[in-house]
Amino acid sequence: MTRDYPSLHIFLLLLVCFNSLTVFGISGDSKMSASWGKGLSQNDLMEKDTVLVVDNDDNVIGSASKKESHVFSKEQPHGILHRAFSIFIFDESDGRLLLHQRSADKITFPNVWTNTCCSHPLHGMTPNEVDSPSDVKDGSVMGIKHAAVRKLVQELGIDAKDFIPQMKFLTRLHYWAADTITHGPSSPWGEHEVDYVLFLVVPSKDAITIRPNPEEIQAVKWVSADELEGMLKDKTCLFSPWFRIIYERFMKNAWWKDLKTTMSTDKYVDVDTIHQFDPPSEHLGGGGMARPLFAAFDASKKQGAYGKIKTHSESKLSQLMRLDEVFAAVTLLYVSPLKSNLGGEFIKNTFNSDDLAFCDEILVKVSRSFAAVIRQLPEVMLVDVLVFYLILRALDTIEDDTSAFDSHATKVRILKEFYKALDDPNWTMTGVGEGDERRLLEEFPKCQRIFQQLQPEARDVIKDITKRMADGMADFVAKDMGQGTEDMEQYNLYCHYVAGLVGEGLSRLFSASGLEHKSFGEEKHLSNQMGLFLQKTNIIRDYLEDYVDKRAWWPQTVWKKYSASGDLGYFANQADGEARKKALMCLNELVTDALELVPDCLAYLSKLECAEIFRFCAIPQVMAIATLDKCFANPDVFTGVVKIRKGLSCRLILQTNTIAEVHSIFSRFARSVRSKALTQQHLGANDPSFERTIASCDKITALTKDAASLQAQRQMIRLSSTVALLGASLLVKGSAGLFGKNRSMVSTGLALAGGILYWYGPWTVNSNLLSAHVLKARKQLG
């Protein structure tokens, strides 16, 4: 029997409506902005204020107390993401910015200097402080502006309600930071906000009255851009992490520098993007030991689109199951690491030790594993290549930064003049790049001094390549690269500028060192092809990173054949079966285009005579062919970053000593790509580039056939040796009753480990060394 409960229905309906109104900023406990905060302590405000909890797309999804949202704990290592605002007030008469220093009584980030006013819009306020997506889209954000007016009165005594029409919303940033400077590495507090940035220009300082609330503010100051730079360099002057991000990334070279344009046009307005930033390294950690949110590694050390997409990686168990790669990693780290020649007498007696120490330190930070490959070069040219790398890395940092310059013209001018920095001991650049790349530019004079200590011929090569590369980069600055290069010609030209020229420069340095034949410096075609192979591999792998960063390089004449929407982002929709199918077709065509460069790469390597130079050139090449194999027919390319396993990288490094070993590696991965192509075809993929792929792989396997056959024979010998060693170890173990169980197990372990190392790592254990271990074990048994 059903019953009707009208009163219950009405109650539930009212309850739903009440909850809905609360979420959208209207509640029965609404507070007038004018009277808000009076008589309340910092602790009271932390308990009573109700902030707007949002998702990563800045949709309001609930509420939390200010205290709860700012707690950094094991349960919520990054706190709770909520909405915030930062307003910057400028004096039109002299362009100065009003800063304030937070009170020592503030619970989060006390004593730091920051912008004019920064806080949070709240639920339940009158006027309403909750903005909808449409409010953001049209740039009105009246909720944020009402919150700014409320806090300007409460913190600074500034009555700004009449200035609301002049307040300009510029953009949003999603950032977080643990308050480790104040509360230590296990700080229980931090910020995690989608921050709305507002600018306001008043006619003069006299247009506003400032009466700081000592509970909130301990000092205020109007500063010029130069004065602010001085404060930022003062180690005793602390600044909030959000202010540093906004100033360095947006204001310094654009919004403030071009304040009239900022306020009178929409040139710098971006209502669509939520810019994402991990904090500087000193603000990582906190009570939940928070790590970077937006990067697979510390985002403070890498600029660009890292962190906006995920990194695909295999499970630790999967990696540990590959014993050959595990042994390779152990060998490279502990048993037989690449030898560093940086401490040689020639280098010590030629270069300034302090400047060289900086170059070596920064090399490790901006190049990671490649630093070891550079260090193993012969002394007479090691520093040449090291400094060449750092100079081009500095240039690349300038090219990559999409927000540090006020116009394309400014960026083009800086790029084209960068080569002059090599002769200017005082040249430096601040506010460009992030983390270690930024530091490289800021402390560039140390690199410049080392550059000046190189031989004249090496300096001429490096300066020439730097100038030509910068000119090429400048040609692409003003182009709209959001949808990739126009065609294959432009694709190849870009790769030539940023990588082919590097190959040419290295060949000329090899020749100048006397370690390679003089004619090698004229080998421009093969040098260029080698550079293109590496650069195209990176571009293929970085599809999603580049697309998200709005600077893509996939050629339109290729991808538009497969994109149903006419947009490069079409392929990222992997939930759509047709898009997934077309994405793989496009990917495979580009991988095949790169594979067609392999014969020239192998021809280049075959000409090298110096073992260390050969290894230096060959290691990136084998990494590239392994990466292309990983990318081929792999839908993960369209949903994140695809990288080869670290253990595989170690194995490849250790197996890249001779041209025969390199041929064997190329043969292996070419056969793998061929197998994948055949499998796809059998499954009905009908890949348009199938025949080109097969032909390219067949050509590689034909070129490397002899080396692959020799390696197969060696593997059979190793297998036989391993079987023999295992048999010997079993015989030793069988004598446990005569010689003692423990000794037998020790000798068995030695023999077994030696056999496995010999099988999986022939580059580290030769037969003599293995025999020595076996003899030692026998002696232990008496």
Side-chain angles (χ1 to χ4, degrees), residues 725-737:
L725 284 166
L726 287 172
S729 69
L730 290 173
L731 288 173
V732 172
K733 186 176 181 181
S735 60

Side-chain angles (χ1 to χ4, degrees), residues 755-773:
I756 294 174
L757 277 172
Y758 187 62
W759 169 237
Y760 287 111
W763 50 88
T764 62
V765 183
N766 59 36
S767 58
N768 292 333
L769 181 60
L770 195 61
S771 298
H773 282 299

Side-chain angles (χ1 to χ4, degrees), residues 63 165 203 236 311 353 381 409 452 526 556 571 609 615 657 671:
S63 62
T236 66
T311 298
S353 59
M381 67 166 303
Q452 288 297 326
L526 295 182
Q556 295 181 28
F571 306 121
E609 297 177 355
R615 191 180 300 113
N657 300 295
R671 285 184 280 111

Side-chain angles (χ1 to χ4, degrees), residues 466-618:
T466 301
K467 185 179 187 305
R468 290 162 61 194
M469 181 183 290
D471 288 343
M473 289 176 170
D475 288 345
F476 280 84
V477 166
K479 298 181 187 296
D480 182 2
M481 303 308 299
Q483 295 294 314
T485 54
E486 293 177 2
D487 50 32
M488 287 298 294
E489 183 179 359
Q490 194 180 68
Y491 177 51
N492 289 328
L493 181 61
Y494 176 78
C495 292
H496 164 72
Y497 283 145
V498 300
L501 286 175
V502 180
E504 178 188 329
L506 288 171
S507 296
R508 290 166 63 185
L509 288 176
F510 299 158
S511 174
S513 71
L515 296 170
E516 297 294 344
H517 196 274
K518 277 292 180 185
S519 63
F520 204 77
E522 302 302 318
E523 190 53 82
K524 294 183 179 180
H525 173 71
L526 295 182
S527 301
N528 184 69
Q529 296 292 84
M530 182 180 70
L532 262 61
F533 180 61
L534 299 180
Q535 186 63 24
K536 287 186 175 184
T537 299
N538 291 337
I539 288 173
I540 291 166
R541 180 197 63 197
D542 295 342
Y543 158 80
L544 193 57
E545 274 184 26
D546 290 341
Y547 178 73
V548 170
D549 209 31
K550 300 178 182 179
R551 294 181 74 249
W553 311 106
W554 282 27
Q556 295 181 28
T557 49
V558 173
W559 68 257
K560 281 188 174 179
K561 293 187 294 185
Y562 305 102
S563 173
S565 67
D567 186 273
L568 181 57
Y570 170 76
F571 306 121
N573 183 19
Q574 290 292 294
D576 183 326
E578 187 63 19
R580 181 185 177 98
K581 177 182 176 182
K582 296 294 186 181
L584 294 183
M585 289 181 177
C586 182
L587 172 63
N588 293 347
E589 181 171 341
L590 290 175
V591 170
T592 299
D593 170 69
L595 288 174
E596 289 170 344
L597 295 166
V598 168
D600 284 340
C601 296
L602 295 177
Y604 180 93
L605 294 175
S606 70
K607 292 176 176 287
L608 294 169
E609 297 177 355
C610 175
E612 291 87 351
I613 291 177
F614 173 83
R615 191 180 300 113
F616 170 81
C617 294

